[in-house]
Amino acid sequence: MGKKLLIDKSKRNLLIFSDFMKYKEPALYKILLENNKIDEDTAEKLNISKKIKQNLPAWLNFSSQEWISDKSNPILTTDESGNKHCRLCNQPIKFQYKIKNQKNDMEILIGGNCVNNFKQLDSMVKIIKTEEEYKRYNKLLKYNSNIFDILMADSKYLQKTAIILPKGYYDSFDKIQTKINKMLKSYIRKGKKLKKSELDKALLVYNYELNNLIDFIKKHEQITDYVTRKTANEIEEKQNDEYRNIINEVMENNGKLSPSTSVKIKVESHLQRMKYHVNNQLPSEVELVGIFFGTYILAIQRFNDKYSFKVDSSLLLENFFEKKLKQFDAIFLENHSKFDVHDVVTREKLAILSESFVVSDNSFRIKEIDYRKIANKYDSDLTRKEFNEVINRISLVLDRYTIFEKKGDTHLYIYKNSILEDYGKEFLFSQLDSTKKKIVKAYEMKMEIKELYDWVISRLN
């Protein structure tokens, strides 16, 4: 892997084509003339690494300010050979922009990417706008090189930390960060005199608060009781209406997630962090296998088969924090309507499970219905095509039902498949005999075979 570039070819060319470095930093200017680019190794050998890191934004800013676009001909189109290159980065370009140096009258043609770079202002540019400010800035660096990091620190640093912090950290760090930046920028911009004792005290407090922040983050960022920045960003994006309340609750709770707050969070990264702990509390026949927004997917092993359900994450997490997940059978039976079937295969398995219990005492058995008899009764003079179409329509009616016949009884017992599926869920954890008695009585309709034919035909008309 190559060494990190501190000054690439484009930046180097801008600096040597401009007058600022030539007259203000002649030693660096000479080094740039002798090197097409400066990487970390070169900078370390020449003992200029820190100086580059602390001053490069200002050098680029002052150098770019020397240039203006040529108003008489700001845009030049390449010729058909397409062999024009940007004078700064040497990349081939389709469109060219002429810029002129106001101090040395040099004119160069650059590409669109480099033009955009002239418009961008970073933190350094906002701080240093004149050569006098540049001198005062470097005077501060000679006094304490850590001032560079303070000035360059993101003003929104506390909104980007790896985890959400306790409220006290926000208050104390924000206060000293604001104070020391005001002191430093007042000196740089206005030359306002700094008292050494006051500056030293502010630097001491700032470093103390910053180190406290860093230590707290390192100690807690892998612990699930704390909210990661990734999770916070997801909450802001997907639970925006609840975001501020959730984050405030965390901050007020010393940065920790309370059970009541954890239950409110539905984003995937939080549910993933909780997955291991939830699985550890679930009985062996139940496993948390998938995650979606606000949803856990469970695989339940029963009767030598596997059934898949989805359930609101808050239901599982509430029972997790109350340490009730070991009694999962009671939770499932009490809330079985909240455990939705996750896939078609499970839906079919549950219906079959119910059917097996209905026919288990040998008095009931599934009745196969002859769709052709119904079609002929509907209309005995159908073409083959019409006959097949009617069969399909009959199927649409009856596919929603399972039909049983009973020994010694001429009636058919017609159950909705959705009812069978629902009782199938109950069979997974219930007392089988009591559930069996309930399902036997849960048929939707009871009718003779001829009545069934007429009922189906009435649905076709």
Side-chain angles (χ1 to χ4, degrees):
M1 183 179 290
K3 297 297 180 181
K4 180 181 177 182
L5 279 178
L6 299 183
I7 302 179
D8 62 21
K9 188 171 184 178
S10 176
K11 293 183 177 71
R12 176 259 187 188
N13 287 341
L14 174 61
L15 295 175
I16 65 171
F17 292 163
S18 308
D19 276 9
F20 178 82
M21 292 296 288
K22 185 176 183 179
Y23 296 109
K24 300 299 179 181
E25 298 286 352
L28 264 296
Y29 178 76
K30 183 180 179 183
I31 291 172
L32 290 171
L33 289 176
E34 295 169 349
N35 295 271
N36 285 329
K37 55 191 176 183
I38 307 290
D39 60 23
E40 288 180 327
D41 277 355
T42 303
E44 288 294 335
K45 289 175 184 176
L46 297 172
N47 197 28
I48 56 173
S49 180
K50 180 181 281 190
K51 189 173 183 69
I52 290 174
K53 290 177 180 178
Q54 293 179 341
N55 289 282
L56 181 59
W59 297 340
L60 294 171
N61 178 44
F62 288 127
S63 296
S64 64
Q65 286 179 2
E66 296 179 21
W67 299 84
I68 58 172
S69 64
D70 186 337
K71 294 180 181 179
S72 64
N73 192 12
I75 301 176
L76 298 176
T77 306
T78 60
D79 59 21
E80 292 183 1
S81 64
N83 59 359
K84 299 294 176 67
H85 291 73
C86 173
R87 187 72 187 280
L88 292 180
C89 66
N90 201 38
Q91 293 297 310
I93 49 178
K94 184 175 181 181
F95 298 99
Q96 297 180 93
Y97 299 79
K98 183 188 289 187
I99 57 173
K100 181 178 181 179
N101 189 291
Q102 300 174 86
K103 294 191 175 183
N104 59 30
D105 291 330
M106 177 183 281
E107 292 182 353
I108 59 174
L109 299 174
I110 62 174
N113 288 337
C114 288
V115 168
N116 292 335
N117 291 336
F118 280 84
K119 299 174 184 176
Q120 294 169 355
L121 297 177
D122 56 17
S123 300
M124 177 67 74
V125 173
K126 295 174 184 176
I127 296 169
I128 303 170
K129 292 182 169 59
T130 68
E131 292 185 18
E132 285 301 314
E133 292 173 354
Y134 177 70
K135 290 177 183 176
R136 289 194 286 267
Y137 163 74
N138 273 282
K139 189 174 180 180
L140 281 175
L141 294 186
K142 287 179 181 178
Y143 179 71
N144 188 321
S145 62
N146 290 332
I147 287 174
F148 169 79
D149 296 319
I150 296 172
L151 288 169
M152 294 301 103
D154 193 333
S155 61
K156 296 183 178 180
Y157 171 71
L158 292 175
Q159 282 73 53
K160 298 178 181 179
T161 51
I163 58 174
I164 301 301
L165 301 166
K167 189 175 185 298
Y169 283 98
Y170 289 90
D171 295 339
S172 57
F173 184 76
D174 184 64
K175 183 178 179 181
I176 187 60
Q177 186 182 42
T178 301
K179 178 180 178 180
I180 198 166
N181 267 283
K182 185 177 180 181
M183 291 171 60
L184 296 172
K185 290 175 183 178
S186 291
Y187 170 73
I188 292 170
R189 292 170 180 167
K190 302 175 184 178
K192 186 176 180 180
K193 188 174 181 181
L194 278 174
K195 293 182 180 178
K196 181 178 179 298
S197 59
E198 187 177 352
L199 176 60
D200 287 345
K201 182 179 179 181
L203 288 170
L204 188 66
V205 174
Y206 177 88
N207 288 325
Y208 172 79
E209 294 290 348
L210 180 61
N211 289 331
N212 269 354
L213 280 178
I214 294 170
D215 289 344
F216 185 90
I217 292 167
K218 286 181 178 178
K219 185 177 179 181
H220 298 100
E221 62 182 325
Q222 299 302 323
I223 302 175
T224 54
D225 286 347
Y226 293 83
V227 178
T228 66
R229 181 60 55 185
K230 178 184 177 182
T231 295
N233 290 340
E234 284 186 40
I235 296 170
E236 186 173 21
E237 178 185 353
K238 298 179 180 179
Q239 294 180 255
N240 187 259
D241 291 344
E242 303 166 89
Y243 171 73
R244 184 41 56 194
N245 285 338
I246 289 173
I247 297 305
N248 283 342
E249 286 177 15
V250 173
M251 290 168 60
E252 294 288 351
N253 194 43
N254 202 32
K256 294 185 72 175
L257 268 173
S258 67
S260 61
T261 304
S262 183
V263 166
K264 296 176 185 177
I265 301 175
K266 298 180 180 296
V267 298
E268 289 89 336
S269 61
H270 173 66
L271 301 187
Q272 185 65 44
R273 278 167 72 89
M274 295 300 299
K275 179 181 175 182
Y276 172 80
H277 303 285
V278 172
N279 264 332
N280 274 352
Q281 200 179 111
L282 286 167
S284 58
E285 68 269 21
V286 182
E287 183 183 5
L288 198 165
V289 295
I291 291 167
F292 298 102
F293 177 80
T295 305
Y296 278 131
I297 308 301
L298 295 172
I300 299 175
Q301 188 77 32
R302 298 287 285 175
F303 306 113
N304 297 317
D305 214 337
K306 188 172 286 187
Y307 301 83
S308 182
F309 295 93
K310 53 187 177 182
V311 62
D312 193 303
S313 59
S314 61
L315 177 62
L316 276 196
L317 292 178
E318 283 171 6
N319 284 280
F320 165 78
F321 287 114
E322 293 174 7
K323 303 188 186 316
K324 293 181 178 179
L325 289 182
K326 286 293 183 186
Q327 292 77 48
F328 184 80
D329 53 350
I331 296 169
F332 188 91
L333 290 173
E334 184 179 343
N335 301 278
H336 75 275
S337 63
K338 297 178 181 178
F339 286 82
D340 296 324
V341 175
H342 179 53
D343 53 40
V344 175
V345 173
T346 294
R347 194 176 303 282
E348 293 172 350
K349 287 178 181 178
L350 290 172
I352 292 170
L353 183 63
S354 289
E355 291 168 11
S356 68
F357 280 102
V358 172
V359 302
S360 62
D361 65 0
N362 297 319
S363 61
F364 281 92
R365 67 179 180 182
I366 293 177
K367 173 68 175 177
E368 298 294 339
I369 303 299
D370 191 338
Y371 289 7
R372 293 172 300 173
K373 288 183 179 181
I374 300 175
N376 286 325
K377 186 172 183 179
Y378 174 74
D379 189 337
S380 60
D381 192 26
L382 296 171
T383 65
R384 180 177 293 278
K385 181 179 178 182
E386 290 170 337
F387 184 83
N388 290 334
E389 288 176 351
V390 171
I391 292 292
N392 288 335
R393 290 163 63 194
I394 294 170
S395 177
L396 289 174
V397 173
L398 292 179
D399 279 354
R400 292 177 291 170
Y401 299 90
T402 299
I403 301 171
F404 295 89
E405 59 183 351
K406 188 177 181 181
K407 281 184 181 179
D409 192 339
T410 60
H411 290 93
L412 300 177
Y413 294 81
I414 304 164
Y415 292 77
K416 273 188 174 180
N417 288 337
S418 58
I419 296 295
L420 293 176
E421 291 163 13
D422 203 43
Y423 275 105
K425 287 161 63 175
E426 192 171 332
F427 272 124
L428 293 177
F429 290 102
S430 68
Q431 295 295 321
L432 300 182
D433 287 343
S434 62
T435 303
K436 180 179 174 181
K437 290 176 182 178
K438 286 192 289 183
I439 194 172
V440 167
K441 298 177 181 179
Y443 54 83
E444 178 81 6
M445 296 173 285
K446 175 182 175 182
M447 59 182 68
E448 300 279 353
I449 186 70
K450 290 181 179 180
E451 292 176 313
L452 174 67
Y453 289 177
D454 291 338
W455 177 80
V456 173
I457 290 169
S458 71
R459 295 293 184 276
L460 302 180
N461 294 327

